[in-house]
Amino acid sequence: MDFQALSAARYSLRKFSTQPVEQEKLDLILEAGRNAPTAHNNQPQRIFVLRSPEALEKADGCTAAHFHPPVILVVAYDAAVSWKRETDGKDHGEIDAAIAATQMMLQAADLGLGTTYVGMFEPDKLLAAFPEMEGTVPIAMLPLGYPAEGAHPARLHSERRPIGELAAYL
């Protein structure tokens, strides 16, 4: 699929099948996150793969978004290595991690899998549930898997503002 078609077709999947995600596909998705551009190439993004029943249950307790996917990718960044803009100290870690998340979501769509970007979670609760994430700042949970039968985009998915409202030629 060409990129224009892929970016238009990709939607936030909220109804997952129980079909497991193949390791080969998961590896490609993780590679897309690893290859994401980051400020000064500091690569602060950290990706935690949750797929055991215990990990998925713990993650479910940290969010109000319950989609029951076979995999959740928690995308975070390490503030100790993220680039800070010299003029005002702005930390670009969250931006870098969000770019990695976007690339992983697009790679997943290209492989026939679905995701949704979940920002509605409790970071402190997530960090307490997963001590392995210590030292990172979680920014998103990405439920990942195959669409369940009958899954479809939300009714507002195709509603887009005109390009003239979003882009300005200066």
Side-chain angles (χ1 to χ4, degrees):
M1 178 181 309
D2 70 44
F3 186 77
Q4 184 66 33
L6 177 68
S7 67
R10 190 231 156 251
Y11 68 94
S12 293
L13 179 65
R14 293 178 175 93
K15 188 177 178 186
F16 294 87
S17 80
T18 57
Q19 180 180 347
V21 175
E22 299 88 345
Q23 187 63 50
E24 300 78 24
K25 290 186 177 183
L26 184 54
D27 290 343
L28 290 170
I29 293 164
L30 294 172
E31 187 67 17
R34 185 177 81 93
N35 286 331
T38 62
H40 286 253
N41 199 31
N42 285 9
Q43 303 174 44
Q45 70 272 37
R46 301 294 182 261
I47 306 153
F48 299 94
V49 181
L50 311 180
R51 61 180 177 183
S52 71
E54 298 79 22
L56 293 170
E57 185 177 334
K58 284 197 298 186
D60 205 40
C62 300
T63 179
H66 305 291
F67 303 122
H68 311 292
V71 176
I72 295 175
L73 302 177
V74 175
V75 184
Y77 70 93
D78 183 343
V81 298
S82 58
W83 180 72
K84 283 74 171 171
R85 187 168 48 208
E86 291 87 3
T87 57
D88 63 358
K90 174 158 179 58
D91 189 333
H92 280 244
E94 186 165 357
I95 296 165
D96 292 341
I99 293 168
T102 300
Q103 288 201 178
M104 290 189 295
M105 292 187 320
L106 290 169
Q107 178 65 73
D110 190 53
L111 295 169
L113 295 158
T115 59
T116 189
Y117 188 108
V118 175
M120 185 174 60
F121 65 93
E122 296 180 55
D124 291 340
K125 201 170 181 182
L126 190 66
L127 292 169
F130 297 96
E132 304 86 350
M133 296 181 191
E134 184 179 347
T136 69
V137 180
I139 66 145
M141 296 172 73
L142 303 181
L144 169 70
Y146 286 96
E149 189 172 324
H152 56 80
R155 73 180 167 79
L156 297 177
H157 170 73
S158 60
E159 290 187 21
R160 299 285 178 230
R161 293 175 185 251
I163 195 71
E165 288 184 23
L166 305 174
Y169 291 88
L170 307 177

